[in-house]
Amino acid sequence: FKAFRGCPFACSYCGNKSIRDVHNSTDSFMRKKSVDRVISELRYVLEIFPDIKTLGFSDEVFISNDKYTEEFAAKYKKEVNLLFTCDASLQLLTEENVSQMADAGLKTVNCGIEVFSEEVRLQVYKRKMNNKKIVEKSRILEKYNVFVMYDFIYDNPLETAKDIEECFWDLIIFLPRPCTFNRYSLSHLPKTELTERFLKEGRLTEDDIVGMS
């Protein structure tokens, strides 16, 4: 299910930033259904498929608004009460919103680390999470028994095999177990900040851009 459209972040490699620039407004780009609307849709589907045991939310960042999260957790537990999964940003997780969601049935969360190099993550990808903060947030999820899937993006021309190795010793070994890792290859999307930079630096040609080749 989806409760939201859009993303509150502006990562340099992501197409969301380009789309938001077209809208020229964060308000019109970030849209959400009311909690009551989401719950009613879930209950409707469960009436048709009563054997469902787990629900999955495919929003890019589900845990993003504390007021919304609090209302959702309370109503979901009362009216649906099934295990569920969602995507979240480690940056926005707190003791309070994780505990509320875990109590409502949050079983697994998908979180993007994306970049092996801390410097590239902060300065180039514009993801404002250093290694220390990532581990701190992961400990909150561990405390409430939420299983974590971490995303990493390979094939970034700014990173080397040494960056990946250093990330293992500086970050990955400190992440609570059990967990798992999703691996992706960097896609050069049209008009993103990172794509435009790589074009100017000669790291890409127009034929490397997704949808152009």
Side-chain angles (χ1 to χ4, degrees):
F1 292 87
K2 285 185 74 70
F4 298 88
R5 291 282 181 88
C7 177
F9 295 103
C11 302
S12 64
Y13 60 91
C14 182
N16 274 312
K17 173 64 165 55
S18 302
I19 298 171
R20 188 162 70 184
D21 288 344
V22 172
H23 283 266
N24 199 30
S25 169
T26 302
D27 292 336
S28 63
F29 181 65
M30 279 296 295
R31 292 156 289 164
K32 62 179 181 292
K33 300 175 185 176
S34 69
V35 171
D36 287 338
R37 169 68 181 271
V38 174
I39 298 298
S40 69
E41 289 182 4
L42 294 176
R43 293 183 64 180
Y44 171 74
V45 171
L46 290 172
E47 288 177 3
I48 302 173
F49 303 103
D51 293 331
I52 288 176
K53 298 295 187 293
T54 304
L55 295 168
F57 288 87
S58 58
D59 309 276
E60 296 185 61
V61 183
F62 187 85
I63 308 174
S64 58
N65 180 287
D66 287 341
K67 184 177 180 180
Y68 190 96
T69 299
E70 181 179 9
E71 181 184 357
F72 171 83
K75 291 183 176 179
Y76 182 91
K77 182 177 181 179
K78 180 179 179 181
E79 300 186 42
V80 180
N81 198 31
L82 289 175
L83 296 175
F84 68 97
T85 69
C86 72
D87 287 10
S89 166
L90 290 166
Q91 185 175 334
L92 298 178
L93 297 183
T94 64
E95 180 97 18
E96 184 175 15
N97 59 33
V98 172
S99 66
Q100 290 168 348
M101 293 290 273
D103 183 60
L106 179 60
K107 173 186 179 182
T108 302
V109 69
N110 197 96
C111 297
I113 296 177
E114 314 300 18
V115 194
F116 296 97
S117 164
E118 185 177 66
E119 180 180 357
V120 173
R121 187 187 314 126
L122 296 170
Q123 302 301 326
V124 180
Y125 275 35
K126 297 186 177 179
R127 296 182 65 84
K128 304 304 181 183
M129 289 289 291
N130 60 32
N131 291 345
K132 180 180 178 181
K133 184 61 67 173
I134 289 172
V135 174
E136 288 177 0
K137 298 290 188 174
S138 70
R139 296 292 182 193
I140 299 175
L141 294 164
E142 177 191 32
K143 179 178 178 179
Y144 291 96
N145 297 312
V146 178
F147 183 82
V148 190
M149 299 186 294
Y150 297 101
D151 291 347
F152 279 98
I153 301 175
Y154 286 76
D155 303 319
N156 179 346
L158 299 178
E159 292 186 309
T160 65
K162 183 179 178 181
D163 290 319
I164 297 175
E165 181 180 355
E166 290 178 350
C167 180
F168 179 83
W169 295 111
D170 295 341
L171 172 61
I172 292 175
I173 63 171
F174 297 106
L175 297 174
R177 272 32 173 197
C179 64
T180 192
F181 301 93
N182 299 318
R183 296 162 296 177
Y184 301 95
S185 180
L186 178 61
S187 295
H188 305 291
L189 303 176
K191 304 298 182 181
T192 67
E193 184 178 330
L194 192 62
T195 295
E196 294 299 308
R197 169 179 170 167
F198 285 168
L199 285 171
K200 290 179 181 178
E201 293 177 351
R203 299 178 186 274
L204 298 178
T205 69
E206 292 288 341
D207 289 338
D208 296 314
I209 299 174
V210 172
M212 302 299 181
S213 66

